Amino acid sequence: MTTDRRRWLALVVVCLAQLMIVLDTTIVNVALPYIQHDLHFTQGNLTWVINAFLITFGSFLLLAGRLGDLLGRKRVFLFGVALFTLASLLCGAADTSTLLIAARFLQGIGAAMQASVILAIIVIEFPDPADRARAMSAYVFTAVAGGSLGLLAGGALTQLLNWHWIFFVNLPIGLIAIFAGRALIPNDNGLGIRQGVDWLGSILVTLAIGIAVYAIIEATTHGWASTETIGGGVIAVALLGAFLTLESRIENPIMPLRILKLRGLVVSCFTRGFLVTGMYGTWFIGSLYLERVLHYDAIETGLAFMPWTLTVAVLSMGVTRKLVARLGALPTMVGGLLLVALGLFVMHGISLHTDYFPRLLIGFLLMGLGVGNAFMPMLQIAMEDVPRADAGLGSGIVNVSQQVSGALGLAILSTFATNHTSSLLATHHALAPSLLGGYRLAYAIGIGSVLTGVVVAVTLLRSRSVPVAAVAASHSEVPVQPGGGDAPFVVRRGSEDEDLGRDGAEQPGEVVIA
């Protein structure tokens, strides 16, 4: 088998693994009422079917990404897929609420281990800018398409079989990914652990992120001013401060602080945070609106989001790559963000009797256009400066930013929507108009978050890159950064990062109350 064919098949493998994770974050939501009935969950404990996965997934991403750099990314990826597959089997076989929650904790760890190195594997496997852009487009499509597929599959499996199969469906995918991954992903030994592993730093950062995610999640239930939320936030900040202090003083840190000097990585992660805060929260809000106000069933809800998914699929076939090549990564990304904001604005105009055509269709199409044009160049900007030796860590940071901001967005939007719905009900409004008022407020907050991301990107990244086409036209010779800093479609002029690391060293019934 040729090297070129092998790496494209390896891309299919890592995208399969990513598909399992994305499926799992949406497919479970549809089945929650059935799980509650069969395993006798209380309404409060039911949220832990979701939260257990989110907490371990978010908290282990950074550690797992760095372990990929140290021990080998293939090794960490395969172990993560195996653990996720085993945990899925335990989830599907669970006959008590305690066993299901424990298995979901384990599933989150496996998801973190595989997700944290997927981007790193793509960056290393595809050094050519054009090929890397195609690979990242496939990754973005998988991540977005998995959401719609999860809603459809969750409804179909639960209605036609039973809720256990939403977890069993991971088994064949996981086994294929394990065996194909062993054969197709090249071996890499990593930097090694001869100088030891920063176990204290690993514990501190894992606890800090885990407690932060827990505090955000609990804010939905207990409120932002509660002891659980404020106390968890204070502890998380203190642990993060201790972690950064430790990392600046030891010789072999788990997270070399030079990585935080890479402006493209840091600023793109902040931009991603604002986009995901607005987008992910409104994904769930949109599902609730369709089900609770328009009375769509689970399968109809999944089908309603298909224009979003299909639009991303079309863009991933080369449209976004050509836009980036012609305009540059930053303009393409900003244009995508503005389209997402416009899509949210269209969705903000929903009513009690909104027809799918034209408003909802246009809203979902605009969201698909925006996401498809924003995520790929955003990934490109994030990873283009990261040295090859730190690719796993950079991948972990990107995933942490998405996971934490996704949890934060869901908590913020659902809390505001819930409170506004409750206040309308208290003033004797009917249920449906009260729900609608809460959902519309959530969309308004989502618009503000995405537009904030636009401001951050334009302000802090506006002078970083120029399109390759423009450079070629001017015949200027501008070197592309070596190693892990290969810049797809983007060529730097006088990069300030030249010397940095270049040596390689409701859920149903929960999200919005009625």
Side-chain angles (χ1 to χ4, degrees):
M1 183 183 299
T2 64
T3 300
D4 190 62
R5 183 183 179 190
R6 179 203 52 74
R7 60 180 180 156
W8 286 107
L9 290 174
L11 174 66
V12 174
V13 173
V14 296
C15 284
L16 275 177
Q18 179 66 25
L19 178 63
M20 283 200 302
I21 298 172
V22 180
L23 276 175
D24 204 76
T25 58
T26 54
I27 199 171
V28 177
N29 288 278
V30 179
L32 281 176
Y34 302 90
I35 294 173
Q36 181 180 17
H37 178 268
D38 284 359
L39 300 185
H40 309 293
F41 275 95
T42 65
Q43 191 64 32
N45 288 339
L46 185 63
T47 60
W48 281 100
V49 177
I50 302 295
N51 297 347
F53 179 87
L54 293 179
I55 289 172
T56 50
F57 184 28
S59 59
F60 278 91
L61 278 167
L62 199 61
L63 171 59
R66 192 53 176 169
L67 287 178
D69 293 333
L70 299 176
L71 303 177
R73 298 173 191 108
K74 177 179 179 178
R75 184 178 302 168
V76 171
F77 172 79
L78 292 177
F79 187 84
V81 175
L83 184 60
F84 185 91
T85 304
L86 174 61
S88 297
L89 175 61
L90 295 176
C91 287
D95 56 2
T96 68
S97 59
T98 301
L99 179 57
L100 179 59
I101 291 175
R104 289 286 285 170
F105 272 113
L106 192 64
Q107 201 177 31
I109 297 173
M113 295 187 72
Q114 63 192 64
S116 63
V117 295
I118 287 176
L119 273 180
I121 291 173
I122 292 175
V123 168
I124 300 303
E125 279 288 277
F126 296 92
D128 177 73
D131 286 345
R132 185 185 295 178
R134 293 188 185 96
M136 285 190 171
S137 293
Y139 170 83
V140 170
F141 169 67
T142 302
V144 175
S148 291
L149 184 59
L151 292 173
L152 280 171
L157 290 172
T158 302
Q159 292 178 18
L160 299 178
L161 298 171
N162 57 59
W163 66 265
H164 298 274
W165 284 91
I166 68 172
F167 298 109
F168 289 147
V169 74
N170 289 330
L171 302 185
I173 302 175
L175 291 174
I176 292 171
I178 291 170
F179 289 107
R182 285 175 58 87
L184 296 171
I185 299 175
N187 294 317
D188 61 307
N189 295 323
L191 300 174
I193 56 174
R194 291 180 300 274
Q195 298 177 342
V197 177
D198 175 19
W199 292 113
L200 179 57
S202 302
I203 293 171
L204 286 173
V205 72
T206 300
L207 287 175
I209 298 173
I211 293 173
V213 173
Y214 170 78
I216 292 169
I217 290 171
E218 287 300 293
T220 307
T221 303
H222 299 288
W224 292 96
S226 66
T227 302
E228 291 85 352
T229 303
I230 295 177
V234 169
I235 294 173
V237 170
L239 288 171
L240 184 59
F243 167 71
L244 293 175
T245 301
L246 175 68
E247 300 305 276
S248 67
R249 295 180 178 180
I250 63 176
E251 184 177 350
N252 189 33
I254 194 74
M255 189 182 81
L257 295 187
R258 68 176 182 271
I259 199 82
L260 299 180
K261 296 180 181 179
L262 302 179
R263 188 172 61 171
L265 174 65
V266 174
V267 176
S268 69
C269 283
F270 273 106
T271 304
R272 174 187 304 277
F274 287 113
L275 171 59
V276 170
T277 295
M279 187 187 72
Y280 276 24
T282 50
W283 178 287
F284 286 97
I285 294 297
S287 299
L288 292 170
Y289 166 71
L290 292 174
E291 292 175 358
R292 290 187 159 201
V293 177
L294 300 186
H295 306 295
Y296 284 29
D297 62 27
I299 296 178
E300 289 172 333
T301 298
L303 289 172
F305 282 93
M306 288 304 292
W308 179 332
T309 304
L310 294 175
T311 303
V312 174
V314 171
L315 293 175
S316 69
M317 293 177 182
V319 177
T320 302
R321 285 188 289 108
K322 292 176 182 178
L323 285 174
V324 172
R326 184 174 183 83
L327 303 176
L330 180 60
T332 305
M333 182 184 74
V334 170
L337 291 170
L338 291 173
L339 284 171
V340 172
L342 181 59
L344 293 174
F345 178 77
V346 171
M347 297 299 293
H348 178 262
I350 56 177
S351 69
L352 295 177
H353 306 289
T354 298
D355 292 326
Y356 187 78
F357 182 84
R359 179 174 292 276
L360 297 183
L361 176 61
I362 292 173
F364 289 137
L365 284 173
L366 287 170
M367 294 286 285
L369 284 170
V371 170
N373 281 312
F375 263 91
M376 192 276 279
M378 192 178 294
L379 285 174
Q380 172 190 313
I381 292 171
M383 297 299 291
E384 67 184 1
D385 283 339
V386 178
R388 184 185 184 95
D390 295 330
L393 178 60
S395 176
I397 291 173
V398 169
N399 278 286
V400 167
S401 71
Q402 182 159 318
Q403 185 65 21
V404 172
S405 56
L408 182 63
L410 184 56
I412 290 175
L413 270 63
S414 62
T415 298
F416 275 98
T418 297
N419 292 341
H420 190 56
T421 296
S422 298
S423 66
L424 290 174
L425 287 171
T427 55
H428 308 294
H429 285 73
L431 175 59
S434 299
L435 288 171
L436 179 66
Y439 300 155
R440 293 189 62 183
L441 176 61
Y443 277 118
I445 296 172
I447 295 169
S449 179
V450 175
L451 290 179
T452 302
V454 172
V455 173
V456 170
V458 171
T459 303
L460 299 179
L461 292 175
R462 64 177 179 270
S463 63
R464 284 182 51 81
S465 61
V466 294
V468 162
V471 177
S474 65
H475 303 287
S476 59
E477 297 181 0
V478 186
V480 176
Q481 297 293 350
D486 294 317
F489 305 124
V490 177
V491 180
R492 294 197 178 297
R493 295 185 183 275
S495 172
E496 70 280 11
D497 299 330
E498 288 261 347
D499 61 341
L500 298 177
R502 292 300 174 195
D503 56 355
E506 200 167 7
Q507 298 81 308
E510 286 298 318
V511 174
V512 178
I513 63 171

